[in-house]
Amino acid sequence: MNKQFFFIKLIAPRPTFSQDMDAAERAVMMEHIQYWTALTEAGTAVLFGPVFEPAGGYGMGVIEVADEQAAHAVLQQDPTILSNRSFAFEVHPMRVGMIRKQP
């Protein structure tokens, strides 16, 4: 079965989140980073990280899974979603033109 790629956008609770998160929110973000690191090490995530947008930053990732339902299943286990702190994800199917080979 061929896997599909999805661009994931993590939308924070507010545009200023990266500058003014409190200690509890910072702890959730550390768990989020650990979760995505594990996804990367398992081969599900291709890459992830913050995007610094003047109007309000957001998180992004690219994952490779069977289908959109599987993408949503991965995201439902993300600590940001499990925290019930008004985070949201956008999921966009994509086609990878090329991935750079690792040295």
Side-chain angles (χ1 to χ4, degrees):
M1 173 166 63
N2 289 337
K3 291 187 177 183
Q4 300 173 36
F5 291 93
F6 293 88
F7 174 83
I8 308 300
K9 181 177 181 180
L10 172 63
I11 303 165
R14 58 191 175 279
T16 58
F17 180 79
S18 64
Q19 292 86 34
D20 63 10
M21 69 179 95
D22 63 27
E25 291 169 328
R26 190 172 308 281
V28 168
M29 290 309 295
M30 295 308 295
E31 291 177 28
H32 166 74
I33 292 167
Q34 291 173 350
Y35 180 72
W36 277 81
T37 298
L39 289 174
T40 304
E41 290 170 348
T44 301
V46 177
L47 65 107
F48 72 94
V51 175
F52 303 109
E53 175 75 30
Y58 57 90
M60 67 76 59
V62 174
I63 60 174
E64 184 181 17
V65 292
D67 54 30
E68 191 166 341
Q69 182 177 356
H72 284 281
V74 167
L75 301 175
Q76 290 305 310
Q77 297 304 309
D78 189 293
T80 59
I81 299 303
L82 296 174
S83 74
N84 293 317
R85 293 184 173 267
S86 300
F87 287 92
F89 280 103
E90 291 180 4
V91 177
H92 303 281
M94 64 174 290
R95 185 171 300 152
V96 173
M98 178 176 278
I99 297 177
R100 178 180 72 187
K101 292 184 179 183
Q102 296 299 316

